[in-house]
Amino acid sequence: MSNLKKLSRASVVRLELYLEVLEQMQKEGRTHVTSAEIGEYAGLAPVKIRQDLFGLGTDGKPRVGYDVSDLAQLIRNAFDMDRAKSACLVGFGNLGRALAGSNIWSKAGFRLAAVFDRDPNVIGLEALEDVQVKSINEIFGVIKSEEIETGIITVPASAAQDTANHLVNAGVRSIWNFAPIKISAPENIVVENQSLAWGLITLSYRMKLAM
Amino acid sequence: MSNLKKLSRASVVRLELYLEVLEQMQKEGRTHVTSAEIGEYAGLAPVKIRQDLFGLGTDGKPRVGYDVSDLAQLIRNAFDMDRAKSACLVGFGNLGRALAGSNIWSKAGFRLAAVFDRDPNVIGLEALEDVQVKSINEIFGVIKSEEIETGIITVPASAAQDTANHLVNAGVRSIWNFAPIKISAPENIVVENQSLAWGLITLSYRMKLAM
DNA sequence: TAGATTGTTAATCGATTAACAATC
DNA sequence: TAGATTGTTAATCGATTAACAATC
């Protein structure tokens, strides 16, 4: 594994945006792109793009720019997007259904291998092709047998910490938490919080600032 | 309006967490809390809490700590959460339904006043109590008549920029965008991106780091 | 060769952490 | 009063921006 420097969170977000741009250019058949072009697309100064790419092992050519597919691959590698990873979803409510039905998984290299809920009326439903909602009681065994690394929490806040504990006990390495609380987990577990409520509050704050 | 210093994004996220803690404490009947207690709950050093609160006009008392409800109110005011604001949702797919049915709105002071879609099969559905899904063609008039300040984009990426343009033309001040693309909008429009795909990629990156 | 564009270091800026003074 | 805890400034750290050298 290459010894890349840790990217700042801001830089990660920007690189995700560059990747989006690059993939669109690939579709359009473009083969090369300059930092100025990416910058225009992303609304950023060209230097910022080069600085973000520096350290990722870029191989741009002066007067030519970057090879579009090479650069996209570089970013995908940096984010480990091409390694096959299995995930499970806990909580098949509205948000769980939205996530299960979305196309985000394969793009990032994830397979949604299992879906759990505790409501008997929901257990047995077809969450997605070949994946039926299982009882939360099966979580331990299924995570082991499917070699699931990542658990997604879309249960109510009151059940979120319990769910996290189950996931950790069963051996997941990371948790993507949509409940609006901070989840405690051992240090070696990666926890990414994506509370939608917080996003809305942030929006409210920024609107106030802009007034 | 008080002249608070602009908070860093990281600080905003932490303050949202403190508010979560404070509201839980209010439920438990606690009247006072120290920065050390909040810090333990939030997994942060006490100094960090005080530093975040400094500038918000805190009035903690040495040896006593902060008044729980006063501090919660201070944060709510800083984020403008108690001002009544109207929002509309564009795209009543899985994610739109999840958002419409969630309880995030009232907490942040928002009222979801309208929901739009362009699918005739979806138009007319009851999105939430007293709010039926309207045709996207009505967006201009409804945003005016309902005095909607905020538009939420939950349409596919391919329709996201168009939707944003409609929202801006109709006069919204802010956009909460769930499509995985960067939306261009005039500078005075607040755009908050919350692409779920990006969250998953960030998780993938952090898992690789932790290996 | 000339010049456009990248790679890389240096300077600036802002946020975090540490130290300590103020005060209930 | 003594000491716990907050308010506030100073020092450190990291990220961003600016400058420029390298090179196709």
Side-chain angles (χ1 to χ4, degrees):
Chain A
M1 185 108 294
S2 59
N3 53 348
L4 302 175
K5 231 185 72 177
K6 181 167 180 283
L7 303 166
S8 72
R9 182 164 277 259
S11 182
V12 168
V13 171
R14 286 193 301 268
L15 284 165
E16 287 169 346
L17 179 58
Y18 307 160
L19 181 58
E20 200 68 41
V21 174
L22 290 165
E23 287 175 345
Q24 176 147 352
M25 286 181 165
Q26 271 182 308
K27 276 190 207 153
E28 292 167 1
R30 295 280 307 274
T31 58
H32 290 82
V33 63
T34 65
S35 59
E37 287 171 300
I38 298 177
E40 192 180 1
Y41 217 104
L44 296 165
V47 198
K48 190 151 216 165
I49 280 84
R50 292 204 300 280
Q51 180 64 278
D52 280 331
L53 296 176
F54 174 64
L56 241 56
T58 47
D59 61 343
K61 304 251 181 303
R63 296 201 24 103
V64 177
Y66 304 90
D67 181 290
V68 172
S69 68
D70 282 2
L71 192 52
Q73 194 56 49
L74 203 66
I75 297 176
R76 295 183 63 83
N77 289 344
F79 291 160
D80 210 20
M81 289 170 74
D82 287 341
R83 183 174 68 86
K85 301 167 285 287
S86 293
C88 72
L89 183 68
V90 188
F92 198 57
N94 278 319
L95 183 56
R97 282 160 218 237
L99 286 168
S102 80
N103 62 355
I104 62 176
W105 307 102
S106 64
K107 204 190 150 198
F110 284 90
R111 178 179 69 96
L112 189 54
V115 176
F116 302 98
D117 203 292
R118 67 173 172 196
D119 181 351
N121 296 318
V122 171
I123 295 167
L125 292 181
E126 181 136 321
L128 62 166
E129 210 178 331
D130 292 334
V131 178
Q132 292 180 339
V133 179
K134 292 189 175 67
S135 162
I136 193 84
N137 296 326
E138 298 185 48
I139 198 168
F140 192 90
V142 173
I143 284 179
K144 293 291 183 194
S145 64
E146 295 279 351
E147 295 181 344
I148 288 169
E149 295 177 55
T150 300
I152 295 100
I153 298 181
T154 51
V155 301
S158 56
Q161 183 61 60
D162 261 3
T163 301
N165 296 345
H166 290 319
L167 289 167
V168 170
N169 287 338
V172 301
R173 293 180 49 222
S174 66
I175 291 175
W176 197 17
N177 173 41
F178 284 80
I181 61 160
K182 187 185 162 73
I183 275 181
S184 36
E187 285 233 343
N188 59 322
I189 305 290
V190 173
V191 178
E192 181 78 14
N193 291 297
Q194 187 142 16
S195 165
L196 302 181
W198 292 359
L200 189 58
I201 295 170
T202 302
L203 190 75
S204 177
Y205 171 66
R206 292 184 53 202
M207 281 171 73
K208 181 188 165 202
L209 272 193
M211 267 200 290
Chain B
M1 186 107 296
S2 60
N3 53 347
L4 301 176
K5 232 184 73 178
K6 183 167 178 286
L7 302 166
S8 73
R9 182 163 278 258
S11 181
V12 169
V13 171
R14 285 194 300 268
L15 284 164
E16 287 170 345
L17 178 58
Y18 307 160
L19 181 58
E20 201 70 39
V21 174
L22 290 165
E23 286 175 346
Q24 176 146 351
M25 286 182 165
Q26 272 183 309
K27 276 190 206 155
E28 292 167 2
R30 295 280 308 272
T31 58
H32 290 82
V33 63
T34 66
S35 60
E37 287 171 302
I38 298 177
E40 192 180 2
Y41 216 106
L44 296 165
V47 197
K48 190 151 213 163
I49 281 84
R50 293 204 301 279
Q51 180 64 277
D52 280 330
L53 296 176
F54 174 64
L56 241 55
T58 46
D59 61 343
K61 303 252 181 302
R63 296 201 24 101
V64 179
Y66 302 91
D67 181 289
V68 172
S69 68
D70 281 3
L71 191 52
Q73 195 55 49
L74 203 66
I75 297 176
R76 295 183 62 85
N77 288 344
F79 291 160
D80 211 21
M81 291 169 72
D82 288 341
R83 183 173 68 86
K85 302 168 283 288
S86 291
C88 72
L89 184 67
V90 188
F92 197 57
N94 278 318
L95 183 56
R97 283 161 220 236
L99 286 168
S102 80
N103 61 357
I104 62 176
W105 309 102
S106 63
K107 203 192 150 193
F110 284 90
R111 179 178 68 98
L112 189 54
V115 176
F116 302 97
D117 203 292
R118 67 174 171 197
D119 181 350
N121 295 319
V122 170
I123 295 166
L125 292 181
E126 182 137 319
L128 63 166
E129 210 178 331
D130 293 334
V131 178
Q132 292 180 339
V133 179
K134 293 189 174 69
S135 162
I136 195 83
N137 296 326
E138 298 184 49
I139 198 168
F140 193 89
V142 173
I143 283 179
K144 294 289 185 198
S145 64
E146 295 278 351
E147 295 180 345
I148 288 170
E149 296 178 54
T150 300
I152 295 101
I153 298 181
T154 52
V155 301
S158 57
Q161 183 62 59
D162 262 3
T163 301
N165 295 345
H166 290 319
L167 288 167
V168 170
N169 287 338
V172 301
R173 293 180 48 221
S174 66
I175 291 175
W176 195 19
N177 172 41
F178 283 80
I181 60 160
K182 188 185 160 76
I183 276 183
S184 35
E187 285 234 343
N188 59 322
I189 306 288
V190 173
V191 178
E192 180 79 13
N193 291 297
Q194 188 142 16
S195 165
L196 302 182
W198 293 358
L200 189 58
I201 295 170
T202 302
L203 191 74
S204 177
Y205 171 66
R206 292 183 55 203
M207 280 171 74
K208 180 186 164 204
L209 272 193
M211 268 201 290

